[in-house]
């Protein structure tokens, strides 16, 4: 399919400077972004060290931590904004998808601040917002239509963006999210938490030409990672190394399986993205979410894609509020102060 990739007129938002709040999972974050692109303040209080001992995010613990951190995180974002509150034109917050108790803190804080300061309130979809991390700071913004891949701890989604607020979901995961698979496999291989960086940093190519399975789900843009996870956990040489009890052999095999797992995930993500570009005639590709920080994924995408690739800097791949502000800028529809959190909020 052929599509014209002519430049579009950029419609600007009525809200020049936006304060945004994000608390959908385990990061308490507040940011101020102007013109949807320029980062003024970006504060992220991560709970990774607290959840590490459990090997995953504990929702109740996350909710309590957000309550403890939110006030100082917002104060710091405003303190770092030249002109402070006087420059803020609107307040945005994530209202889903995510952990309901966690979302509540950020959403209620944003609504309260908007009401008490008489500012417009803008409600934002967290998964859509991940894509807007690519608008921040970059010289060149993504051109529509764009194929968008969101790969995070909670979400794996492929979509076609025809314009701002005009998206079509192409497919998503049928079981584990990509980041969730990294986390679970790292746990199986006893490599650490969070699993993405642990797998990436420990991956060692085996001498053999072994490959782990890839669930292609031909004819769809869907993904499945649970079979791959099982293939790692039941790998005969891993099991044998465990029984033999030689710690060096066991560790070497774990690192090899980390490599093979990462190769399978990257291969599937890249090929499905390429197929979506070919079928849609998209002018660019956006890849975002925590797994977009993966060095191997970034490398393969850069070599394989034939259209411009937009991928956020590492610190804007994982959860942050700057992406919420950027997303709100391009969707300046006045929000509803009565809106409730929606843990299962769908994309588009
Ligand atoms: O976007 P994010 O901060 O949270 C959600 O919205 O879910 O993503 C967190 C996920 C975790 O699963 C983490 O293991 C993964 O992103 N991640 C990575 C890397 N860095 C973080 N996955 C693969 N490679 C990485 N370098
Ligand atoms: Zn996220």
């Amino acid at each position: 399919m052929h599509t014209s990739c002519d430049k579009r007129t950029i419609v600007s938002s009525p809200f020049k400077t936006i304060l945004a709040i994000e608390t959908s999972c385990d990061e308490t974050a507040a940011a101020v972004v102007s013109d949807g692109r320029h980062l003024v303040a970006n504060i992220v209080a991560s709970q990774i060290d607290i959840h590490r001992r459990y090997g995953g995010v504990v929702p109740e613990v996350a909710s309590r931590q957000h309550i403890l951190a939110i006030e100082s995180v917002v104060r710091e974002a405003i303190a770092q904004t030249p002109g402070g509150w006087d420059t803020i034109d609107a307040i945005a917050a994530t209202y889903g998808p995510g952990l309901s108790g966690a979302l509540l803190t950020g959403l209620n804080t944003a609504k309260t601040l908007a009401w008490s300061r008489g500012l417009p309130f803008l409600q934002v979809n967290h998964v859509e917002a991940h894509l807007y991390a690519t608008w921040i700071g970059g010289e060149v913004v993504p051109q529509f239509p764009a194929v968008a891949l969101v790969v995070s701890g909670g979400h794996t989604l492929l979509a076609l963006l025809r314009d701002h607020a005009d998206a079509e979901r192409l497919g998503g995961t049928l079981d584990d999210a990509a980041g969730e698979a990294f986390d679970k496999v790292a746990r199986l291989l006893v490599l650490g938490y969070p699993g993405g960086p642990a797998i990436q940093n420990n991956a060692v190519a085996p001498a053999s030409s072994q490959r782990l399975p890839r669930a292609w789900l031909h004819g769809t843009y869907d993904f499945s990672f649970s079979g791959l996870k099982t293939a790692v956990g039941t790998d005969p040489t891993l099991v044998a190394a465990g029984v033999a009890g030689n710690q060096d052999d066991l560790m070497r095999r774990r690192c090899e399986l980390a490599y093979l797992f990462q190769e399978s995930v990257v291969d599937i993500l890249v090929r499905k993205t390429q197929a979506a570009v070919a079928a849609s005639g998209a002018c660019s590709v956006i890849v975002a979410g925590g797994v977009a920080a993966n060095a191997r994924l970034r490398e393969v995408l850069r070599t394989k894609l034939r259209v411009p690739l937009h991928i956020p800097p590492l610190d804007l791949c994982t959860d942050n509020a700057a992406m919420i502000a950027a997303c709100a800028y391009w969707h300046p529809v006045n929000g509803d102060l009565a809106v409730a959190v929606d843990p299962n909020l769908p994309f588009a």
Side-chain angles (χ1 to χ4, degrees), residues 159-227:
L160 182 64
L161 307 188
R162 294 197 183 82
D163 206 333
H164 299 292
D166 182 3
E168 178 190 345
R169 184 186 187 279
L170 300 175
T173 185
L174 301 181
D175 39 60
D176 294 341
E180 184 182 4
F182 269 93
D183 293 337
K184 288 178 174 173
V185 166
R187 197 169 176 174
L188 274 173
L189 298 175
V190 203
L191 291 178
Y193 175 84
I199 298 253
Q200 176 183 308
N201 298 334
N202 285 287
V204 175
S208 73
S209 58
Q210 185 192 355
R211 275 162 63 99
L212 289 178
R214 284 125 167 91
W216 290 117
L217 304 176
H218 289 294
T220 76
Y221 291 111
D222 287 331
F223 303 87
S224 169
F225 299 110
S226 65

Side-chain angles (χ1 to χ4, degrees), residues 126 130 152 319 323:
H126 177 87
H130 264 297
S152 71
D319 287 348
M323 67 188 197

Side-chain angles (χ1 to χ4, degrees), residues 26 47 50 98 109 145 147 162 180 198 232 243 248 263 275 296 300 305 310 314 342:
D26 60 339
Q47 304 174 9
I50 295 165
T109 303
V147 164
R162 294 197 183 82
E180 184 182 4
V232 172
V243 171
D248 289 345
E263 288 302 297
R296 181 70 179 139
V300 178
L305 291 179
H310 299 269
L314 293 182
D342 188 345

Side-chain angles (χ1 to χ4, degrees), residues 43-306:
I43 312 298
V44 181
S46 174
Q47 304 174 9
I48 282 182
D49 289 340
I50 295 165
H51 297 289
R52 179 170 284 122
R53 77 189 76 144
Y54 307 108
V57 178
V58 181
E60 178 60 23
V61 174
S63 305
R64 291 185 202 188
Q65 288 302 317
H66 286 309
I67 292 168
L68 293 175
I70 190 73
E71 189 185 341
S72 59
V73 165
V74 173
R75 275 190 199 282
E76 186 58 26
I78 293 297
Q80 289 188 14
T81 302
W85 276 111
D86 291 346
T87 64
I88 305 297
D89 299 311
I91 300 181
T94 309
Y95 75 112
L99 303 170
S100 62
L103 286 163
L104 266 173
T105 301
L107 183 65
N108 283 341
T109 303
K111 288 199 287 191
T112 307
L113 286 170
W115 178 79
S116 61
R117 294 192 166 264
L119 290 168
F121 165 71
L122 308 168
Q123 61 216 34
V124 173
N125 179 313
H126 177 87
V127 175
E128 191 175 10
H130 264 297
L131 300 172
Y132 281 83
T134 55
W135 263 260
I136 299 167
E139 292 297 310
V140 184
V141 297
Q143 247 185 300
F144 296 117
V147 164
L149 175 70
V150 182
V151 272
S152 71
H155 316 279
T156 301
L157 173 100
L158 202 53
L160 182 64
L161 307 188
R162 294 197 183 82
D163 206 333
H164 299 292
D166 182 3
E168 178 190 345
R169 184 186 187 279
L170 300 175
T173 185
L174 301 181
D175 39 60
D176 294 341
E180 184 182 4
F182 269 93
D183 293 337
K184 288 178 174 173
V185 166
R187 197 169 176 174
L188 274 173
L189 298 175
V190 203
L191 291 178
Y193 175 84
I199 298 253
Q200 176 183 308
N201 298 334
N202 285 287
V204 175
S208 73
S209 58
Q210 185 192 355
R211 275 162 63 99
L212 289 178
R214 284 125 167 91
W216 290 117
L217 304 176
H218 289 294
T220 76
Y221 291 111
D222 287 331
F223 303 87
S224 169
F225 299 110
S226 65
L228 176 60
K229 179 184 66 190
T230 305
V232 172
T234 57
D235 178 78
T237 41
L238 178 71
V239 175
V243 171
N246 181 317
Q247 290 307 307
D248 289 345
D249 285 352
L250 185 58
M251 193 56 199
R252 183 178 44 77
R253 190 58 192 147
R254 285 174 177 160
C255 294
E256 290 175 355
L257 284 166
Y259 174 91
L260 294 169
F261 165 80
Q262 183 174 258
E263 288 302 297
S264 283
V265 174
V266 168
D267 197 12
I268 295 162
L269 294 177
V270 173
R271 289 212 208 185
K272 293 255 172 185
T273 305
Q274 285 179 296
V277 173
S280 64
C283 297
S284 64
V285 168
I286 303 169
V287 180
V291 180
N294 185 269
R296 181 70 179 139
L297 177 62
R298 295 167 88 95
E299 179 193 349
V300 178
L301 283 167
R302 283 202 185 97
T303 51
K304 294 276 167 82
L305 291 179
R306 297 282 166 263

